[in-house]
Amino acid sequence: MTEMSDLTVPGLLNARVEAMPDKPFLYFEDRMWTFAEFKAEVWRTIRSLEHFGVAPGSRVALFLPNRPEFLFVWFALTFLRAIAVPINPNYRHAEVAYQLVHAEPSLVVAGENLRETLEAAVAQSQLSCRIVWVGADGLDPETSGSRGADASAVRPDDVACFIYTSGTTGRPKAVMQTQRNYVLTGEGFAHWLRLGGDDRLMTSLPLY
C-alpha cells in the first residue's frame, strides 16, 4: 500500500479516476465534470501547455479568476513537473509586474477580462513571455506536438507551486509548495473535517 506521503498530485488524481471514474468531481455554474471527464480536460491542457514549450521546471503564471480552467491548468502543470505561479486577479498592474519579474514565468495563462491589467504589467516588467488568453468559452487547447506527460516521473518533493506572501513587512516572497505538501494537506483537511465521498464542498475563496 502506498503511503500518502509518497503520493503526488497526478498519482492521487489517477487513483481517484481509477476508483471512481463516473463520480462527480467538479461543479461550476451549470456544468459538472466527473473524475474521468476532469482528467480528460487536464490531459488536453497538458498537450496545449507542451505546445507552448512548458517542460519540467517551467514556471507558468495563472492570472485567472475562479473558473475551471484554473484547475485544468494547475493540475496539468503537476503532471508536467512544471511550477504554477498564481497571481491575484485583483492586483493592479504594478503588483502584477513585480510578481512577473520575481517569478520569471515563460508563459502566462490569463483571463481575457484581465487583458488591460496584464498588458500594462508586461510592459512595465519588460518580461518576454508568451500569453494564452482564456475567454468566455474557456481555454482552447492545442492538440499537436504532444510528448505525453509521464505521471510516474513526478516526485513528491517536486515544487508544484509558488505561493506569494502578503508582503506586510516587505515585498511579497515566493513560498515553494511541493507535490507532497498538497497531497498531505488535502488528506489532512478531509480527515479533520471527517469528509466522505458523498460530501460536496463550496469554494468561496479565490483559487489563487
Side-chain angles (χ1 to χ4, degrees):
M1 181 176 179
T2 304
E3 296 292 334
M4 287 301 300
S5 59
D6 293 330
L7 283 177
T8 61
V9 173
L12 185 59
L13 178 61
N14 285 340
R16 294 299 182 268
V17 171
E18 183 176 349
M20 52 189 76
D22 299 323
K23 191 173 184 65
F25 174 70
L26 174 66
Y27 290 91
F28 179 76
E29 297 179 347
D30 59 350
R31 285 289 310 276
M32 184 275 287
W33 289 262
T34 65
F35 277 91
E37 289 168 342
F38 180 82
K39 184 182 175 181
E41 292 286 358
V42 170
W43 205 252
R44 282 192 287 269
T45 305
I46 287 171
R47 293 198 294 268
S48 181
L49 293 172
E50 288 181 328
H51 174 82
F52 288 110
V54 175
S58 297
R59 300 172 186 179
V60 177
L62 282 70
F63 192 43
L64 292 165
N66 279 19
R67 55 183 300 159
E69 288 77 19
F70 187 109
L71 295 175
F72 300 156
V73 174
W74 191 92
F75 273 83
L77 292 173
T78 67
F79 276 84
L80 290 167
R81 303 181 72 193
I83 301 170
V85 184
I87 301 176
N88 185 343
N90 292 317
Y91 271 173
R92 305 283 181 87
H93 76 271
E95 296 167 307
V96 177
Y98 165 76
Q99 196 163 327
L100 292 176
V101 170
H102 189 268
E104 297 182 324
S106 59
L107 179 71
V108 181
V109 181
E112 181 68 44
N113 61 314
L114 300 170
R115 180 183 288 269
E116 183 177 350
T117 300
L118 182 59
E119 289 181 343
V122 170
Q124 179 175 332
S125 68
Q126 298 183 333
L127 184 71
S128 177
C129 63
R130 299 190 70 168
I131 301 173
V132 176
W133 298 104
V134 178
D137 296 327
L139 179 66
D140 184 19
E142 297 283 346
T143 58
S144 61
S146 173
R147 299 184 300 277
D150 182 7
S152 66
V154 183
R155 295 291 178 261
D157 290 326
D158 286 341
V159 176
C161 192
F162 288 170
I163 299 293
Y164 275 78
T165 64
S166 59
T168 53
T169 59
R171 301 306 294 270
K173 300 174 181 63
V175 179
M176 295 184 290
Q177 299 291 322
T178 66
Q179 300 255 351
R180 189 195 311 269
N181 289 149
Y182 281 103
V183 173
L184 292 181
T185 299
E187 180 70 5
F189 182 81
H191 171 76
W192 291 110
L193 292 185
R194 300 180 181 179
L195 299 176
D198 294 325
D199 289 311
R200 186 182 300 183
L201 302 181
M202 182 178 73
T203 301
S204 57
L205 295 174
L207 289 173
Y208 82 87

